[in-house]
Amino acid sequence: MSPLPAAPIDQAMAAQPGSRTVYIETFGCQMNHSDTEVVLARLHSAGYQRTEHMDLASLVLFNTCAVRDHAEAKVRGRLGALKPIKRLRPELRIALMGCMAQREKDALLSAYPQLDLVVGTDQFVHLPQLLEEIETGRRIAATEFGDFESTLWPAQRAAGINAWVPIMRGCNYNCTYCVVPATRGKEKSRPAEQIEEEVRRLAAEGFVQVTLLGQTVDAYGKTLGDGSTLASLLRRLHPIPGLKRLRFVTSHPKDITDELLDTMAELPKVAKHLHVPAQSGSDRMLRLMGRRYTRGEYLVLVERARRRMPDIELLSDFIVGFPRESNADFNDTVSLMEEVRFASSYVFMYSQRPATPSAHLPDDVPEQVKRERCTRLLDLQLTHQGQHYATLHGQSRAVLVEGPSKNDDAMLCGRSIGNLNIVFPRYAPDGASRDQVIGDLVDIRIARSTSLTLFGDLAPE
Ligand code: SAH
Ligand code: SF4
Ligand code: F3S
C-alpha cells in the first residue's frame, strides 16, 4: 500500500481543474480489496482515472478496516494529514468507505470537517451518484445496509493469474471481540449461477487461480434456501475450462462439514488448505469469545480433515490477551499450537472495539503481557514452520507459478496445492528466462528452506 507522500503538496502538480482522478488506499482484509476493485470499475465508468499520487487526485478515497484500533489509527492519521491540504485545495474531495465508515457513520463527518463523504459497506456501489450529490455542497453519510446482489459486478482487477471472488458477505456469528457483524451486516450469499458466470469469464480472461471469499465462507448457501453449499459450489466451478486452482477463505470451524472435506479431497483443483482460525486453545477463553466450539471439537475437526487429506495445510488466527486470559489459558493456546502444528498462523493482540459484546469486559491483560504472548506464539509458529519445511527437502510439489518473487527478482514464486510458498530460479542454467511458465503448474523439487519460504528447482522430467 502506498504511503502518504512525504513532501508537501506541489501546487504545480495538483489535479487539473475539472479532471476526475482518484487516489485510493485500501486497508484490511481481502474482502475490502475486492470491494476496491468494484469501486474502481464504477468510478471508471463515471470518468475517473486512477492515480498513484495523492497530489494528482481530485478524489482521495480510503477503504477502511475497523477490526483493531491500529487499523483505524492509520486512517485517522491520513485524515489529519489531509486537513491542511484540503484548506489549500478546497475542490479536493475526500471520502471514506469500508468498515470504519460503517462503524462510525456520520460521526466521522463531525469529527473531520475535511471529510466530504462517508459510504457504508453496502452503499459503495452508489459512489458515483453520491459524488455528484456532494457537488451541491452537502456532506453525506450513506450507511444503510442494503441489497447484496447488485453490489459486486463488474470489478476492475489487477492483471495476473489471481482473482478473488466474493461469494458471500456479512457474518451471522457474534464472536464477542469482533466488529465484523456490525460493519458488514447479516450473512448474505450470492446465487451460485452468478458466481459461476463470473468465474467462467475470469478463467476465459486468463485468471487461472480463483479464491472464493467470505467471512465464514464455509457457511455459503445457508441464506439462499436452495440447498447450495460450499461443497456444491466447488463441484459446480471445478470443471470450468482454464481454471487451475480453486481456493476459499475464511472458514469457521463449526461450518466445516464432512461433505465439504470429502469434496476437497476428491476435487484435484481445490486447494488442500484450510484457513480455519482457532483463536484460543482454552475452553474458558473460547466461551468468553463466543466461538461456539471447544478445544476438543477443534482438534476433532483437524483429525477429520487430516484423515481425508494427510497433506492438508492448516492456517490459524489467534488472539492473545483477551480479557481475563491467565497464564494457564495462554498455555492452553501454546499446547494447541504444539498439538496441531499449523502451516502458519496470524497472531493478534486483543484490541477492545466499541459496541462489541466484549467491550464491557475490562481490557485487563497488560500491554506488555500481550506483547510477550504474541512474540512467544509467533516464535513457536516459526519453529514449527522451519521443522515442517525441513521434512519436505527432496520432495516435489506441483506449484502454480504466480510471477517474480517480491524479495528477489531473479526468482519465480508460486504456491503448492497446500498454499506453501515455493520459489525457484527465474533463469535456467544457460541463462534462458523461464517466465513462460507463469500461470502454469510445474513440478518443483524442494532443496532447502527458511522458516518462511521453500526453495527448489524444476524437477527433472
Ligand atoms: N471472518 C474471519 C476473520 C475475521 S477478522 C473469521 O471468523 O475467521 C480476522 C481476524 O482478526 C480474526 O480471526 C481474529 O483473530 C482477529 N480479530 C478480530 N477482532 C479482533 C480484535 N478485537 N482484537 C484482536 N484481533 C481481532
Ligand atoms: Fe468476526 Fe467471528 Fe464473524 Fe469471524 S466468525 S467475522 S471473528 S464474528
Ligand atoms: Fe477489517 Fe472489515 Fe475486513 S473490519 S478485516 S476490512 S471485514
Side-chain angles (χ1 to χ4, degrees), residues 67-68 177-178 180 215-216 250-251 277 279 291 317-319 348-351 353:
V67 79
R68 286 168 286 276
Y177 49 80
C178 186
V180 173
Q215 292 301 336
T216 53
T250 307
S251 304
Q279 311 295 3
R291 286 293 287 177
D317 299 352
F318 291 99
I319 296 177
F348 304 106
M349 295 192 287
Y350 173 67
S351 167
R353 308 306 295 128

Side-chain angles (χ1 to χ4, degrees), residues 379-395:
D379 285 350
L380 182 62
Q381 176 59 45
L382 281 182
T383 306
H384 287 165
Q385 252 163 263
Q387 290 168 348
H388 176 39
Y389 286 3
T391 66
L392 303 177
H393 296 180
Q395 296 187 24

Side-chain angles (χ1 to χ4, degrees), residues 208-243:
V208 293
Q209 178 159 252
V210 168
T211 305
L212 308 176
L213 295 179
Q215 292 301 336
T216 53
V217 73
D218 45 346
Y220 172 77
K222 282 185 187 171
T223 58
L224 291 172
D226 62 359
S228 297
T229 59
L230 180 58
S232 68
L233 182 66
L234 292 171
R235 284 188 193 282
R236 184 172 184 145
L237 302 179
H238 195 263
I240 291 179
L243 191 65

Side-chain angles (χ1 to χ4, degrees), residues 269-318:
K269 292 181 193 170
V270 174
K272 307 301 177 255
H273 174 251
L274 281 173
H275 182 172
V276 57
Q279 311 295 3
S280 171
S282 149
D283 280 340
R284 202 173 73 96
M285 287 298 107
L286 289 171
R287 218 171 23 252
L288 280 175
M289 289 175 170
R291 286 293 287 177
R292 307 194 209 173
Y293 53 84
T294 62
R295 172 195 177 96
E297 285 163 348
Y298 189 89
L299 288 170
V300 168
L301 163 67
V302 170
E303 204 272 321
R304 282 166 53 219
R306 286 188 171 152
R307 193 171 354 112
R308 291 170 172 85
M309 294 166 277
D311 283 342
I312 192 169
E313 303 287 0
L314 302 172
L315 165 59
S316 181
D317 299 352
F318 291 99

